[in-house]
């Protein structure tokens, strides 16, 4: 998200042009089913917590978010014009964790922007300390609250979305989160407790564009897709660390 503020053209070109080209190729080959990886960022600063799918979309704080919001509209308009299309918009909350085998995990390029890869890189000794971006938010401990979701649960949501497409769902919009909000310090403490490793941190100023609290009500996905998150916060921090400790340098070239 931060990078997209510096490189708006690159983000609009890649995400918007890329998706329009993909959809064009799809329709020319009679493929009219798509699961789109959208994001909780389309809600902007949400008007209700927990966020349901009825919550209005909001002002995004960066071009990345706008591409997700705009592409949702593009895909819904395409489905409206041609009812043979099935479009499932999955609004991801905060994906973390790794495959429990420790073989597939997150290896960001350069300095991690997201919380969990930053924590794992501090724990492995690659970075000195975690900067906690703000402790004066209106949350229980003052740090930002998010709905972290294990990547394997996220993967399972896609399988359920495919099954909905097989039932010819038309348009389906779903939040993909656990429905639980954890603060930055909750995540750090869980990581330290479960993994028995140290994660030094210090409080830094707020990061531009961040909101205080973001977690969802995942009831619609449960009712319509039969999907529910099975992994909890301890599984997330354990699997993230398992991957990082087996791959201290990520996936070297
Ligand atoms: N965060 C932090 N330090 C970091 C990265 C993130 O304190 O190095 C905080 C951030 O301010 C937010 C939460 O962790 O409250 C999740 O941030 P992330 O970038 O992972 O996801 P976002 O919710 O911004 O998409």
């Amino acid at each position: 998200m931060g990078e997209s503020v510096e490189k708006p053209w690159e983000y609009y070109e890649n995400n918007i042009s890329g998706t329009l080209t993909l959809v064009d190729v799809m329709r020319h080959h009679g493929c009219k089913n798509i699961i789109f990886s959208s994001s909780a960022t389309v809600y902007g600063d949400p008007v209700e917590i927990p966020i349901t799918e009825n919550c209005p979309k909001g002002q995004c704080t960066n071009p990345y978010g706008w591409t997700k919001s705009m592409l949702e509209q593009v895909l819904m308009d395409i489905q409206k014009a041609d009812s043979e299309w099935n479009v499932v918009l999955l609004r991801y909350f905060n994906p973390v964790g790794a495959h429990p085998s420790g073989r597939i995990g997150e290896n960001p390029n350069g300095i991690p922007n997201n919380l969990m890869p930053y924590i794992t890189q501090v724990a492995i000794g690659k970075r000195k300390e975690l900067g906690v971006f703000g402790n004066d938010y209106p949350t229980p401990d003052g740090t930002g609250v998010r709905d972290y979701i294990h990547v394997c649960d996220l993967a399972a949501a896609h399988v359920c979305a495919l099954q909905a497409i097989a039932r010819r769902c038309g348009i389906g919009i779903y939040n993909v989160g656990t429905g639980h909000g954890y603060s930055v310090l909750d995540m750090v403490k869980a990581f330290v407790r479960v993994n028995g490793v140290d994660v030094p941190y210090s409080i830094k100023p707020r990061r531009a564009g961040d909101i205080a609290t973001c977690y969802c009500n995942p009831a619609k996905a449960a009712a319509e897709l039969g999907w529910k998150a099975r992994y909890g916060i301890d599984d997330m921090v354990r699997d993230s660390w398992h991957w990082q400790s087996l791959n201290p340098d990520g996936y070297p070239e």
Side-chain angles (χ1 to χ4, degrees):
M1 297 200 206
E3 187 185 55
S4 74
V5 177
E6 311 297 323
K7 298 181 176 173
W9 186 87
E10 279 76 2
Y11 275 74
Y12 284 112
E13 203 278 332
N14 185 74
N15 289 6
I16 304 275
S17 298
T19 305
L20 290 177
T21 303
L22 174 66
V23 167
D24 192 36
V25 173
M26 287 171 68
R27 63 181 181 169
H28 283 108
H29 292 271
C31 175
K32 297 183 175 182
N33 299 318
I34 189 165
I35 301 172
F36 179 64
S37 302
S38 190
S39 166
T41 197
V42 302
Y43 294 112
D45 198 348
V47 298
E48 61 172 17
I49 297 282
I51 303 169
T52 69
E53 292 80 354
N54 291 328
C55 179
K57 286 166 73 172
Q59 294 293 315
C60 298
T61 51
N62 56 76
Y64 166 82
W66 282 120
T67 68
K68 294 293 176 188
S69 190
M70 290 174 188
L71 285 166
E72 284 196 350
Q73 191 63 48
V74 167
L75 293 172
M76 286 194 294
D77 287 344
I78 286 169
Q79 197 282 338
K80 226 181 274 170
D82 178 354
S83 62
E84 285 182 8
W85 277 84
N86 296 291
V87 170
V88 179
L89 309 177
L90 295 182
R91 292 179 175 160
Y92 300 3
F93 278 66
N94 286 65
V96 296
H99 192 268
S101 66
R103 293 175 61 88
I104 313 171
E106 188 177 2
N107 181 35
N109 290 327
I111 301 170
N113 281 309
N114 295 114
L115 178 64
M116 185 56 82
Y118 210 106
I119 291 177
T120 61
Q121 291 195 7
V122 169
I124 202 83
K126 234 175 149 173
R127 319 228 162 245
K128 203 169 119 263
E129 62 172 18
L130 169 74
V132 175
F133 299 146
N135 68 346
D136 56 353
Y137 285 104
T139 60
D141 65 18
T143 66
V145 167
R146 297 289 183 274
D147 189 333
Y148 295 93
I149 170 93
H150 194 291
V151 285
C152 292
D153 275 331
L154 194 60
H158 292 71
V159 176
C160 293
L162 278 176
Q163 290 159 351
I165 284 175
R167 299 191 296 270
R168 303 204 41 77
C169 61
I171 292 178
I173 304 178
Y174 301 100
N175 290 335
V176 186
T178 63
H180 299 288
Y182 292 107
S183 74
V184 176
L185 294 182
D186 287 337
M187 296 305 282
V188 171
K189 285 177 191 154
F191 192 94
V192 170
R193 173 177 51 79
V194 170
N195 299 316
V197 286
D198 214 22
V199 179
Y201 66 85
S202 68
I203 306 298
K204 294 278 177 346
R206 290 183 178 192
R207 182 171 66 178
D210 272 359
I211 57 174
T213 304
C214 179
Y215 60 92
C216 78
N217 175 341
K220 189 179 177 208
E224 296 184 14
L225 297 181
W227 173 85
K228 245 190 202 149
R230 292 186 303 122
Y231 294 87
I233 184 174
D234 287 10
D235 305 308
M236 299 179 207
V237 296
R238 182 197 61 229
D239 291 339
S240 289
W241 176 236
H242 187 212
W243 179 82
Q244 187 73 76
S245 46
L246 289 180
N247 303 271
D249 296 316
Y251 299 115
E253 294 283 308

